[in-house]
Amino acid sequence: MAEFFNEQYAELPAASVELFSSTSDSTIVLSLLCANRNGGDNADITCSHRASNGTTIKNYIGFTLTVPADASLELLANKYIVPSGDKIFVESSSSGLLDIAASYVEV
């Protein structure tokens, strides 16, 4: 079984954007680490698992979770499986304050 380790990085806007799409039989998400690089303002992050059409929300991984100024937040306590074609979307309450790093394995 082939395994491909991937990373995806993004600066979050105040709109919902696709972080990545599963292109294998299943994708195992190892980490979703969000960092607030602003020294004075908190910001909220919402992370959702969506169907392949990109609009149907299957569930929320995190919903309006507050990331304090100059802090980071790990959105996953355990591994998370994303079936083929499904997508992970992220959104910030304030544009340009949050960065997210995703680490995942495609099997």
Side-chain angles (χ1 to χ4, degrees):
M1 172 178 8
E3 295 181 357
F4 302 96
F5 295 90
N6 294 297
E7 296 174 332
Q8 184 68 36
Y9 305 97
E11 177 182 303
L12 300 183
S16 188
V17 294
E18 182 181 317
L19 183 60
F20 71 87
S21 177
S22 176
T23 58
S24 65
D25 288 338
S26 61
T27 298
I28 303 167
V29 184
L30 305 172
S31 174
L32 291 170
L33 182 63
C34 182
N36 185 340
R37 53 191 166 82
N38 184 281
D41 297 317
N42 296 341
D44 295 337
I45 183 169
T46 295
C47 182
S48 60
H49 173 183
R50 299 188 185 194
S52 59
N53 64 16
T55 56
T56 304
I57 296 173
K58 290 189 168 184
N59 70 300
Y60 287 100
I61 296 169
F63 189 79
T64 60
L65 300 172
T66 300
V67 184
D70 285 336
S72 61
L73 174 68
E74 175 59 57
L75 300 179
L76 293 177
N78 292 301
K79 297 172 185 79
Y80 187 83
I81 306 296
V82 181
S84 181
D86 284 4
K87 304 167 187 299
I88 298 295
F89 274 71
V90 289
E91 178 178 357
S92 173
S93 61
S94 300
S95 185
L97 297 184
L98 299 179
D99 290 340
I100 192 162
S103 299
Y104 55 97
V105 179
E106 295 179 327
V107 291

